[in-house]
Structure formats: structure tokens, C-alpha cells
């Protein structure tokens, strides 16, 4: 029953968040044709800011909500305390951007031309930071469907805003204001859903409620800063060493390869609250089982996607963004490998959270941030965008290896080496079969994708990895029954 519920939550998360993960790709042809490469690069840098600030605006207390909310006798007090802290930090952040927009513009955009875009974008990020806390409450309650629907609505509103901007010829500032309007309405809706329409409390009350979580969350602030630096230094270096236009080219390739997260991110998203529940009930065997299952699903799903995206990447970028954004398959390959490493790292990082050893993580993050900066600086200067992505892969590959070895000290999960080998072979066969097919138009590309899926499915059955009985059992257990 628990395994069925776990996999069903992953399937629900996958279905509902596919448009969320595809949002960046959907708006590529709209924004790249509406704006110059510099303006589109500025938009990508705002997304980069959002990645770091969403957890930091709450001082990583949203993770404490996820880790401890179900154990607390007064959950509403914790929720209000975290919202209060987040609002205060958000106001301080907006004040900094307002008074030091020149310095912030130099850091994020490499120039001060987009100071107005930066402040409006910061307001949008602030709204998203408050939404992030509300969504963390829903995740702690394992309300995966409700949470995913809210994220889906936010993604659809962003796409709608991009369509309006394209059709009406709106500048980047008006496009961002449209995004702000939709996300603000969603934030208010989420507050009512978590039964906290007035989410603020006094500072004294917030301190009394949250002080016991500081030892858990404080190291995570350092972790987030250095992890963001590790994930983002490639684009910061590109801005300063090559230029904002190069960031837009690099960013398109990154968003194409992020398609892998459509399948992989729901696995680790559902994994954390599920293993927390088992860990708190001292069911170590269940924890081991879910970590093993998550690793198997991550690898099994990623291998065919990696090969498939590598095959179609050149044509996909050409059709979405145009010739000016072409990068080459080698750069895409390293992007894909880095994405897989990130997903494995994220899955196994949860073991460190379970045993509450987060105070040890800053050592890893400081080391890898320095590693990525040094590698990225020298490789970007010498071989350009390819050097930046090679440094990215080396860094995250190292992180995935270290965290996997580290987590196995506490969690005994299995690595399915035989399955990995089989799926790699059949994925390469599938890729070889469709590689020579024409892909210069959308119908041709759709034909290649469809053919690849059919070939891969046939190989799964032909090699015995998937059997008819296993498929029937899966339908009976996970699709026809309620969890």
C-alpha cells in the first residue's frame, strides 16, 4: 500500500507538473522572437536570482516546516512564524535592491542598463518567496495533488503572460508585471487553503516558536548560498567573460536539457516527505526501500531521456529559438550528464537531512563552489561555453558521488547495476535507429519522438526488462486502485 501510494504520488506529480517544467521551453519561441538576446538574457538572469532567493527569503525555515510540521502540536504557530520571518527578510531584500540597484545590476547582468527590470523582477521574486512557504506547508501535509495544481496554475499564467507580451508587443517590464499579478492571486488562494489567511504574528512569538529549529535551518542557509553559487557561477562567469548575449544561448541549451527534470524531479519531491514519515515512525526498512526505489526510478527514466534529448537537441533548439542559439551536441551531452548528477545528489542528500547532520554540509558546498569557480573560470576563458558546462558536470558529478557514499553510511539502498547496463544498451540502440531520420520541421520531430518511444518500448519487452504480467500488475495496482 505504501509503495503504491509513493509511486502514485510520483505519477500525479509528473502529470501535473509537466507543463511547469516545460514552461521555460514553451516561452522560448515567444520571448526570443520578441526581445533581443540581451533582454532575453536578462530574463534568464532573473530566473537565476529566483532560484537562490526562494529558499533564502525564509532563511531555510521552509525546510523545517517540511521536516517537523507533522510532529508539532501547534502547526499554525510555526506556519505564521515562518511567514513573519519571510516577510521581514523580503522587505530587507527589496530595500537593498532599491538602494543598491547599480551594484546588483553589475553582478547579475554585467551592466546597469536593466536596473528597472531588476527591481520589478525582485517584486516578482518576493511574491514567489511567500508562495514557496505556502507550498512547503502543502508538501509537508503530502497534499501533492493540490500543491502541483497550484504550481501548474502559476506556470500556465507565466505562459499566458508571455503570449500576451508577444501579441501586444509588451516590453519586459510589463511582461513581469503580468506575472506578478497572477502569482499574487495564487498566493492569496494558497493562504486560505492552508487555513492561514492572516499569516503574520509578532516577532517575539515568531522567535519563541522557531528558535528550536535554528540549529537545523541555519547550516542550510550556508548550504543554499554555496549550492546556488555552484549552480550559477557558470552563467555569472559567462556574463563577465563573454557577455549577456552568450548567457541567452547557454540558457536555451540549459532549458532544453532541463526537460529531464519533468520525470526526475517528481521522484525526489515525493521521496522526502515519504521517508520523513517512515523515519519518524522508526521504520528503517521502509526508508531503505524508498531510497532504493527512488534511485532505480531515477536511473531507469533518465537513461532513455538522455539519449533521446541528445539526438533531437540540435533540431529542437533550431525550431524553438532559431539559428542564433545553436550550441552543438557535445555541450548538450555535458548538460544532460550534469542534470542526472544533480538528481542523484538531491535524492541522496535527504539521508543527511534525516539524520540531522546538515551542519556538515557546508564543508562540501564550500569545496564544490570553489572547485566550480576555478574550473569554470579557466575552462570558460579557454574554450568558451563548452568549458563552462564541462566544469558544471565535473562539479555536480563530484557532489553526487560524495553525497551517495556519505548517505550509504546511514541508509542501505541498492544500486541496480544490471538494470543500468541493460537500459543503457537498449537506449543507445533506440538512439541509433532514429538518429538518421529527418527532424527539420515540427511534424518530422514529432515523428522521430514517436518512433523512438515505440522502438524503446519494443526493446523493453524484447529484452524482458518489462513483461506483460508486470505491466498488467502495474495497471491493477497503481492505475485502477485508489491509494
Amino acid at each position: 500500500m505504501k509503495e503504491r501510494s509513493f509511486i502514485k504520488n510520483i505519477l500525479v506529480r509528473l502529470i501535473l507538473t509537466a507543463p511547469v517544467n516545460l514552461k521555460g521551453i514553451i516561452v522560448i519561441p515567444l520571448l526570443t522572437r520578441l526581445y533581443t538576446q540581451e533582454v532575453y538574457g536578462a530574463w534568464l538572469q532573473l530566473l537565476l536570482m529566483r532560484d537562490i532567493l526562494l529558499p533564502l527569503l525564509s532563511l531555510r525555515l521552509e525546510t523545517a516546516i517540511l521536516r517537523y510540521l507533522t510532529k508539532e502540536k501547534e502547526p499554525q504557530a510555526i506556519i505564521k512564524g515562518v511567514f513573519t520571518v519571510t516577510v521581514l527578510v523580503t522587505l530587507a531584500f527589496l530595500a537593498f535592491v532599491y538602494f543598491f540597484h547599480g551594484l546588483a545590476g553589475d553582478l547579475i547582468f554585467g551592466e546597469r542598463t536593466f536596473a528597472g527590470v531588476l527591481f520589478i523582477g525582485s517584486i516578482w521574486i518576493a511574491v514567489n518567496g511567500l508562495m514557496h512557504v505556502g507550498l512547503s506547508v502543502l508538501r509537508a501535509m503530502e497534499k501533492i495533488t493540490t500543491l502541483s495544481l497550484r504550481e501548474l496554475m502559476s506556470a500556465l499564467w507565466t505562459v499566458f503572460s508571455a503570449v500576451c507580451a508577444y501579441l501586444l508587443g509588451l516590453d519586459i517590464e510589463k511582461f513581469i508585471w503580468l506575472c506578478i499579478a497572477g502569482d499574487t492571486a495564487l498566493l492569496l488562494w494558497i493562504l486560505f487553503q492552508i487555513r492561514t489567511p492572516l499569516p503574520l504574528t509578532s516577532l517575539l512569538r515568531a522567535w519563541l516558536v522557531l528558535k528550536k529549529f535554528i540549529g537545523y535551518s541555519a547550516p542550510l542557509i550556508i548550504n543554499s548560498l554555496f549550492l546556488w553559487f555552484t549552480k550559477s557561477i557558470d552563467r555569472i562567469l559567462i556574463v563577465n567573460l563573454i557577455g549577456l548575449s552568450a548567457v541567452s544561448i547557454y540558457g536555451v541549451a540549459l532549458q532544453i536539457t532541463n526537460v529531464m527534470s519533468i520525470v526526475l524531479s517528481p521522484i525526489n519531491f515525493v521521496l522526502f516527505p515519504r521517508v520523513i514519515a517512515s523515519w519518524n515512525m522508526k521504520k528503517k526498512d521502509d526508508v531503505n526501500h524508498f531510497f532504493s526505489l527512488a534511485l532505480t526510478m531515477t536511473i531507469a527514466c533518465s537513461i532513455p531521456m538522455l539519449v533521446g534529448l541528445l539526438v533531437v537537441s540540435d533540431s529542437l533548439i533550431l525550431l524553438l529559438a532559431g539559428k542564433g542559439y545553436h550550441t552543438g551536441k557535445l555541450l548538450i551531452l555535458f548538460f544532460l550528464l550534469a542534470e542526472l548528477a544533480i538528481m542523484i545528489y538531491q535524492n541522496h542528500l535527504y539521508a543527511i537531512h534525516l539524520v540531522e547532520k546538515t551542519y556538515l554540509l557546508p564543508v562540501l558546498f564550500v569545496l564544490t563552489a570553489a572547485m566550480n569557480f576555478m574550473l569554470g573560470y579557466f575552462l570558460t576563458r579557454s574554450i568558451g561555453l563548452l568549458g563552462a558546462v564541462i566544469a558544471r558536470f565535473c562539479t555536480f558529478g563530484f557532489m553526487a558521488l560524495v553525497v551517495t557514499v556519505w548517505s550509504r553510511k546511514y541508509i542501505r539502498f541498492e544500486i541496480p547495476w544490471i538494470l543500468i547496463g541493460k537500459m543503457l544498451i537498449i537506449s543507445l540502440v533506440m538512439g541509433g535507429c532514429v538518429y538518421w531520420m529527418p527532424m527539420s520541421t515540427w511534424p518530422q520531430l514529432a515523428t522521430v519522438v514517436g518512433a523512438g518511444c515505440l522502438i524503446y518500448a519494443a526493446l523493453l519487452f524484447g529484452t524482458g526488462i518489462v513483461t506483460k504480467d508486470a505491466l498488467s500488475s502495474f495497471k491493477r495496482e497503481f492505475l485502477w486502485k485508489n491509494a
Side-chain angles (χ1 to χ4, degrees):
M1 177 68 74
K2 291 179 180 179
E3 180 175 309
R4 183 167 73 242
S5 175
F6 176 71
I7 296 180
K8 194 163 188 176
N9 276 341
I10 291 175
L11 291 175
V12 169
R13 177 74 180 169
L14 171 61
I15 293 168
L16 293 179
T17 59
V20 177
N21 291 311
L22 285 172
K23 173 182 64 179
I25 292 178
I26 294 171
V27 302
I28 283 176
L30 298 170
L31 300 185
T32 55
R33 286 162 175 77
L34 177 62
Y35 303 128
T36 64
Q37 285 189 337
E38 288 79 10
V39 174
Y40 183 65
W43 165 250
L44 293 180
Q45 291 301 89
L46 285 178
L47 297 181
L48 188 64
M49 283 181 60
R50 190 182 64 167
D51 288 344
I52 174 59
L53 290 171
L54 286 188
L56 287 184
L57 290 176
S58 64
L59 301 183
R60 291 310 311 267
L61 288 168
E62 95 290 345
T63 308
I65 286 179
L66 187 59
R67 177 67 176 83
Y68 297 108
L69 187 66
T70 56
K71 297 174 61 177
E72 292 297 315
K73 295 179 180 179
E74 297 183 45
Q76 286 298 314
I78 296 174
I79 295 170
K80 288 185 177 182
V82 174
F83 267 110
T84 300
V85 170
T86 305
V87 168
L88 289 175
V89 176
T90 297
L91 292 175
F93 159 65
L94 291 175
F96 173 82
V97 173
Y98 181 79
F99 289 109
F100 300 97
H101 56 271
L103 175 63
D106 286 338
L107 177 63
I108 300 300
F109 303 126
E111 57 183 82
R112 303 192 176 190
T113 308
F114 297 100
V117 174
L118 177 61
F119 186 70
I120 298 171
S122 298
I123 296 174
W124 177 57
I125 292 169
V127 173
N128 276 261
L130 294 170
M131 282 180 58
H132 183 64
V133 175
L135 294 174
S136 295
V137 175
L138 293 174
R139 186 181 177 191
M141 297 174 176
E142 291 197 72
K143 294 185 177 181
I144 304 300
T145 301
T146 302
L147 181 156
S148 300
L149 283 171
R150 300 302 159 263
E151 291 183 326
L152 173 60
M153 294 175 71
S154 178
L156 291 176
W157 181 262
T158 302
V159 173
F160 172 75
S161 299
V163 171
C164 290
Y166 180 77
L167 294 177
L168 300 176
L170 302 179
D171 58 30
I172 186 70
E173 288 92 346
K174 291 184 176 66
F175 165 57
I176 298 172
W177 277 119
L178 275 176
C179 295
I180 292 171
D183 284 342
T184 300
L186 278 175
L187 170 61
L188 296 175
W189 190 1
I190 291 169
L191 290 177
F192 276 95
Q193 285 194 303
I194 62 176
R195 300 177 182 179
T196 316
L198 298 174
L200 302 181
T201 186
S202 68
L203 287 178
L204 177 60
R205 177 62 175 164
W207 165 253
L208 292 175
V209 170
L210 299 177
K211 63 181 181 179
K212 60 184 176 182
F213 302 128
I214 292 177
Y216 174 80
S217 63
L220 298 180
I221 298 173
I222 301 173
N223 298 349
S224 294
L225 285 169
F226 281 99
L227 180 58
W228 175 83
F229 185 80
T230 301
K231 286 185 174 182
S232 309
I233 189 59
D234 49 359
R235 280 156 285 180
I236 295 174
L237 287 172
I238 290 169
V239 163
N240 289 279
L241 296 178
I242 304 177
L244 198 55
S245 296
V247 170
S248 65
I249 298 171
Y250 191 83
V252 167
L254 177 60
Q255 291 188 76
I256 294 295
T257 55
N258 278 344
V259 170
M260 283 184 67
S261 66
I262 294 175
V263 174
L264 301 186
S265 61
I267 298 172
N268 67 61
F269 189 90
V270 175
L271 174 65
F272 195 24
R274 179 50 54 92
V275 294
I276 285 173
S278 298
W279 185 270
N280 289 340
M281 292 186 289
K282 302 187 184 302
K283 295 183 178 180
K284 184 70 176 294
D285 289 341
D286 284 352
V287 174
N288 294 341
H289 173 69
F290 285 123
F291 270 101
S292 298
L293 184 59
L295 177 61
T296 300
M297 294 177 68
T298 296
I299 295 176
C301 295
S302 65
I303 293 176
M305 290 191 68
L306 190 152
V307 174
L309 283 169
L310 187 62
V311 170
V312 304
S313 58
D314 286 346
S315 298
L316 188 56
I317 291 174
L318 180 64
L319 290 170
L320 284 172
K323 294 181 180 179
Y325 291 85
H326 180 262
T327 53
K329 290 191 182 299
L330 188 58
L331 186 140
I332 296 293
L333 174 61
F334 280 106
F335 260 132
L336 291 168
L337 292 173
E339 186 68 22
L340 174 58
I342 289 172
M343 290 299 123
I344 293 175
Y345 146 81
Q346 185 63 66
N347 279 352
H348 297 161
L349 184 67
Y350 293 145
I352 312 302
H353 284 266
L354 288 180
V355 297
E356 300 183 71
K357 302 287 187 180
T358 54
Y359 61 88
L360 297 174
L361 291 175
V363 177
L364 172 64
F365 291 134
V366 170
L367 175 63
T368 52
M371 172 183 174
N372 200 18
F373 176 75
M374 290 186 291
L375 277 176
Y377 180 80
F378 289 109
L379 291 178
T380 303
R381 282 183 64 90
S382 58
I383 54 179
L385 298 183
L386 180 60
V389 75
I390 290 174
R392 182 182 181 89
F393 163 67
C394 291
T395 302
F396 284 110
F398 176 75
M399 291 178 70
L401 177 62
V402 170
V403 171
T404 298
V405 173
W406 194 358
S407 62
R408 280 177 66 85
K409 294 173 60 179
Y410 310 105
I411 307 297
R412 304 308 302 174
F413 52 84
E414 302 297 327
I415 301 177
W417 294 111
I418 295 177
L419 177 65
I420 293 172
K422 288 182 177 180
M423 300 201 78
L424 179 59
I425 292 172
I426 66 173
S427 296
L428 291 174
V429 172
M430 176 270 294
C433 290
V434 301
Y435 179 77
W436 304 105
M437 296 176 66
M439 293 177 265
S440 57
T441 65
W442 283 111
Q444 289 177 345
L445 187 62
T447 300
V448 169
V449 173
C453 291
L454 290 174
I455 293 170
Y456 186 73
L459 291 171
L460 285 176
F461 280 99
T463 56
I465 294 177
V466 175
T467 64
K468 186 176 180 180
D469 290 341
L471 188 60
S472 298
S473 177
F474 178 83
K475 289 180 179 179
R476 185 169 55 252
E477 291 294 322
F478 303 120
L479 301 181
W480 295 348
K481 292 184 178 181
N482 292 325

